[in-house]
Amino acid sequence: MNILVIGGAGYIGSHVTREFLDNGHNCTVYDNLSSGLRQNLYKEALFIHGDILDFPCLLDVMTNTSFDALIHLAAFKAAGESMLNPGKYARNNIMGTINILNAACQGGIKNIVFSSSAAVYGEPQYLPIDEKHPTVPENFYGFTKLDIERLLEWYDKLKNIRFAALRYFNAAGYDIDSRIKGLEQNPANLIPIIMETAIGIRKEMQVFGNDYDTTDGTCIRDYIHVNDLAKGHVSALDYIIKNDKSITINLGSEQGFSVTQVLETARKITGKPIPAKTVERRSGDPAKLTASCSLASELLGWKARYSDMETLIKTSWEAYKIAINS
Ligand code: UFG
């Protein structure tokens, strides 16, 4: 199939593009390189340097080539920043998606896989979180993802578009075969911050609170390996095409690891001390988040394979070592 990967030069997008290429598809990457990297582009995939706010450019791309599907991963994703600068998130994430949807309709693209987020759920009311859990986002970033899911539902009804909204839990790790060379720049997430500390870019890392109601007092999250996520995109696209039906599903590992457990595993695997200081809680952090992925397993036959903590840390550490030594 001909696949347009919007945001395909980014951290998750580059893994997703690799997976589609490996499955024999033709990929065109559309990216403005604001956080995506040229290093993450593949010679087998066409590259278009474009912005999702540039409607004429999107329209040109989508009407000049006949795409069977598009994968939409282009978004700002820092929850904290979204609370300080909601306009930036509304414009890029929501307006950008409206442009994509309208261009897709004009270009006759009927299938969309969208990167949604567990941030749509907000504070958990029960665990593990399944797709029926109420959606009450705690931050504006999560709101933009939920809003886009609703837009997709309407475009499904009114424009006959089929979509898969994939609600990622905590995406982590790097390509299992070390094929992706570009490291995420200015990361805000736990594992890359631990890696930057291990490699010496940071002097120490901060643990945001150790007085939560969990076994060791630090927050528990469900970490999902990017290669698992990437496979989920391929399976989800197959599903919506074969069944002519849209889906909204969680992608997680169904396992919970505390910040301390992640840190200890990283110290063991890297052999580095990774200095850490416990500081105040970060606002908006629930104590525990874990996913139920029964729906992904039932509909897609998908299950996380690389999301044990050792593999998450090992593949991250490999990527950091390669990047630093090159
Ligand atoms: N943490 C630290 N120190 C840090 C960074 C994070 O202690 O320097 C802690 C956080 O407090 C949290 C855990 O590590 O308890 C994970 O934090 P991240 O910032 O890595 O991830 P979040 O759980 O806050 O959010 C991530 C994505 C969201 C997504 C969510 C889904 O960033 O976009 O997972 O579960 F919605």
Side-chain angles (χ1 to χ4, degrees), residues 113-134:
V113 180
F114 169 61
S115 302
S116 189
S117 167
V120 299
Y121 294 118
E123 181 69 30
Q125 296 180 15
Y126 58 83
L127 291 171
I129 296 179
D130 59 19
E131 294 80 357
K132 293 197 179 79
H133 186 285

Side-chain angles (χ1 to χ4, degrees), residues 117-119 141 170 189-190 193 206-208 219 221 282 285:
S117 167
Y141 160 73
N170 291 51
N189 295 113
L190 180 65
I193 285 175
Q206 299 183 325
V207 174
F208 298 142
C219 290
R221 293 289 179 274
R282 185 173 69 175
D285 268 345

Side-chain angles (χ1 to χ4, degrees), residues 80-265:
E81 185 194 37
S82 76
M83 299 296 274
L84 301 171
N85 196 352
K88 174 178 171 183
Y89 281 69
R91 195 166 46 248
N92 187 69
N93 295 8
I94 300 175
M95 280 170 61
T97 302
I98 293 172
N99 285 338
I100 290 173
L101 288 174
N102 289 337
C105 289
Q106 289 191 46
I109 306 176
K110 289 285 178 207
N111 301 294
I112 299 182
V113 180
F114 169 61
S115 302
S116 189
S117 167
V120 299
Y121 294 118
E123 181 69 30
Q125 296 180 15
Y126 58 83
L127 291 171
I129 296 179
D130 59 19
E131 294 80 357
K132 293 197 179 79
H133 186 285
T135 46
V136 190
E138 282 274 298
N139 51 61
F140 191 76
Y141 160 73
F143 165 77
T144 66
K145 293 287 176 180
L146 186 60
D147 210 41
I148 295 165
E149 287 190 4
R150 291 185 175 148
L151 281 168
L152 286 165
E153 282 160 21
W154 279 105
Y155 276 74
D156 172 315
K157 270 190 249 185
L158 305 176
K159 294 296 215 174
N160 233 13
I161 275 185
R162 298 294 170 259
F163 70 86
L166 306 180
R167 293 175 173 168
Y168 308 160
F169 279 67
N170 291 51
Y174 273 88
D175 183 50
I176 204 95
D177 296 317
S178 300
R179 293 166 300 177
I180 283 143
K181 310 288 180 223
L183 291 180
E184 206 184 357
Q185 303 298 296
N186 307 313
N189 295 113
L190 180 65
I191 295 181
I193 285 175
I194 290 178
M195 291 297 116
E196 288 195 353
T197 315
I199 212 100
I201 298 172
R202 293 171 191 251
K203 282 204 164 57
E204 72 175 3
M205 55 105 27
Q206 299 183 325
V207 174
F208 298 142
N210 64 357
D211 56 352
Y212 285 94
D213 185 16
T214 59
T215 38
D216 62 29
T218 61
C219 290
I220 292 176
R221 293 289 179 274
D222 180 315
Y223 296 90
I224 175 79
H225 195 281
V226 272
N227 284 131
D228 283 328
L229 279 183
K231 287 182 188 300
H233 289 68
V234 176
S235 308
L237 179 59
D238 275 355
Y239 179 91
I240 61 171
I241 292 176
K242 283 199 186 110
N243 296 280
D244 190 23
K245 193 169 178 280
S246 297
I247 47 171
T248 298
I249 50 168
N250 287 342
L251 294 181
S253 67
E254 301 189 304
Q255 290 188 55
F257 288 94
S258 72
V259 174
T260 303
Q261 286 174 317
V262 177
L263 188 54
E264 287 306 328
T265 310

